[in-house]
Amino acid sequence: MGLFSRRKSPESVARAQALAIDDFWHWWRTTGARETAEAIDDRAPERITDAVSKRVHAIDGALSWELAAGAEAADGGSRHVLVVTPEGDPALRAVARRWLLAAPEPDATWEYGDSRRATAPDGRLTLGVGGARIDVARATIAARVEGPVVDVTVHHPDFADLDEDVRRLAAFLMLDATIGETEVELWVREIGTTTVPPLDPVPLPGLRSVVRQLREQYTDADGGPTWVLLHGVRHDGTPLVASTQVPLKAVTAPHFDTHAGVVVPYTDQTPEGLPGPDGLAELRRFEDHLAGRLEGCGRLVAHETSGGTRLLHFYVDGTTPAVEQLEAAVVGWSQGRVRVQAEHDPGWSGVQHLRV
């Protein structure tokens, strides 16, 4: 390491990852898919482990991968599933999604994912965790719903014999197996464990119905996030109105890893500093104009309005010229100078204060 070594920029990391993703899929298309399927059919998956690990870790050493059984081709699915997962790390969600976006079309043999699927929705599974064998069917939960999220406390009779770290790991793995990794990230806020049975215990698979109800309430007909309106007051007493998508989570579009805050002044104001009718219509047209310029490389996820200024929260794909497209698109605004401030933010921390 040089005396004046410096950290790699997000741009240089993304370029290296893109090359490694291309290399992975070139290998997969030429020999990897066939060799991996043959190893599974021969009940010798260890034969392919090193080859897959080498190429996945070339993308990022912290990524994980696994093979799982898919639906039968006769049911419209594939025999096998290859999953590359960021293991819940926000910094890795984008590269895992870019790996998936570059994947071949699913066929009768293979399909692909960037998060663990619900492998045991009925709870019939035995986990090996920390040297213990845990029968998931014996787990129960206490669940508390608050708005669009649920807090879950997991109990298992064997937890009394396990360290807290092992209990927590087991709880996370149980939830992933029951509802899937993406659903956990979207809807579950807190995961706790207890050695004492809940007063009103619910079998672990009962969490599926809780999550289904949240999904039905907080996603639209196309499965996308809904929007809610929030009202508040700034520390100086100025009224503030915010609109935000729900759920406001990076997992809804993990490859949009760059926060682009667009600060828009407006002149048509009410006495409280909020937009008047004409100003509100102009702001909405301007938002649509900016979103259209992104051409699918980003989305507006929230905005805050107060004191003659609207802050638009866009998240965009940092490997594309999306930020430059926004900067070019704002110059036509006639009510003041619009500023665009961009920052690499794979965990969407820039809108954390707007989550409900």
Side-chain angles (χ1 to χ4, degrees):
M1 182 179 293
L3 181 61
F4 298 104
S5 62
R6 61 178 74 171
R7 296 179 63 184
K8 294 181 180 179
S9 68
E11 293 79 13
S12 64
V13 170
R15 285 193 296 269
Q17 290 172 338
L19 291 173
I21 289 171
D22 288 344
D23 177 71
F24 180 96
W25 289 120
H26 174 73
W27 166 75
W28 186 259
R29 287 183 172 95
T30 53
T31 63
R34 174 180 54 81
E35 292 174 351
T36 305
E38 289 174 350
I40 295 173
D41 292 341
D42 294 342
R43 298 186 179 181
E46 67 280 357
R47 198 167 69 210
I48 202 68
T49 299
D50 288 345
V52 178
S53 293
K54 172 185 175 182
R55 289 167 175 84
V56 169
H57 294 155
I59 301 170
D60 192 289
L63 289 172
S64 296
W65 66 274
E66 63 182 43
L67 302 171
E72 291 298 325
D75 298 327
S78 307
R79 289 194 297 128
H80 309 300
V81 182
L82 172 62
V83 175
V84 168
T85 169
E87 297 277 25
D89 185 345
L92 296 176
R93 288 194 190 105
V95 66
R97 177 55 55 89
R98 291 181 183 124
W99 170 88
L100 180 61
L101 292 173
E105 288 295 319
D107 56 27
T109 305
W110 285 106
E111 56 185 294
Y112 312 95
D114 60 355
S115 66
R116 290 190 179 92
R117 305 185 180 190
T119 56
D122 57 2
R124 296 180 182 177
L125 177 71
T126 299
L127 288 174
V129 184
R133 302 287 291 174
I134 299 176
D135 180 2
V136 176
R138 300 176 66 198
T140 57
I141 62 168
R144 183 172 66 89
V145 175
E146 185 175 333
V149 294
V150 57
D151 295 331
V152 179
T153 302
V154 182
H155 170 262
H156 193 282
D158 294 343
F159 276 0
D161 300 323
L162 302 176
D163 293 337
E164 174 61 20
D165 289 344
V166 177
R167 292 200 298 264
R168 284 187 57 79
L169 175 58
F172 275 92
L173 293 175
M174 288 180 191
L175 266 58
D176 284 352
T178 304
I179 63 174
E181 186 178 4
T182 295
E183 299 291 79
V184 171
E185 291 196 40
L186 277 176
W187 308 111
V188 180
R189 180 175 58 183
E190 299 288 343
I191 301 174
T193 68
T194 178
T195 59
V196 180
L199 293 177
D200 189 16
V202 176
L204 183 57
L207 183 60
R208 294 179 62 82
S209 63
V210 176
V211 168
R212 182 171 59 251
Q213 292 170 14
L214 289 174
R215 191 190 312 112
E216 290 172 352
Q217 184 175 356
Y218 291 102
T219 56
D220 59 26
D222 297 324
T226 56
W227 284 75
V228 298
L229 192 65
L230 308 175
H231 295 269
V233 179
R234 294 195 182 277
H235 59 83
D236 62 357
T238 304
L240 180 146
V241 176
S243 186
T244 175
Q245 74 171 38
V246 177
L248 189 61
K249 302 286 187 66
V251 71
T252 61
H255 56 307
F256 295 162
D257 59 354
T258 297
H259 177 247
V262 182
V263 184
V264 186
Y266 54 87
T267 54
D268 178 28
Q269 301 180 33
T270 68
E272 295 79 20
L274 298 175
D278 293 339
L280 185 59
E282 287 293 320
L283 285 168
R284 287 172 175 168
R285 283 192 288 269
F286 190 55
E287 291 170 15
D288 292 341
H289 166 66
L290 296 181
R293 290 294 294 272
L294 291 175
E295 299 179 337
C297 293
R299 70 166 60 154
L300 179 68
V301 302
H303 56 70
E304 302 174 72
T305 307
S306 180
T309 300
R310 173 165 286 190
L311 171 59
L312 306 176
H313 294 282
F314 283 92
Y315 275 87
V316 302
D317 186 340
T319 66
T320 71
V323 172
E324 290 79 2
Q325 289 171 330
L326 285 175
E327 291 172 338
V330 302
V331 296
W333 183 247
S334 62
Q335 300 182 40
R337 178 175 173 266
V338 179
R339 293 176 288 120
V340 179
Q341 301 169 326
E343 181 180 11
H344 184 65
D345 182 18
W348 290 23
S349 60
V351 290
Q352 185 172 354
H353 62 293
L354 296 174
R355 290 182 184 136
V356 297

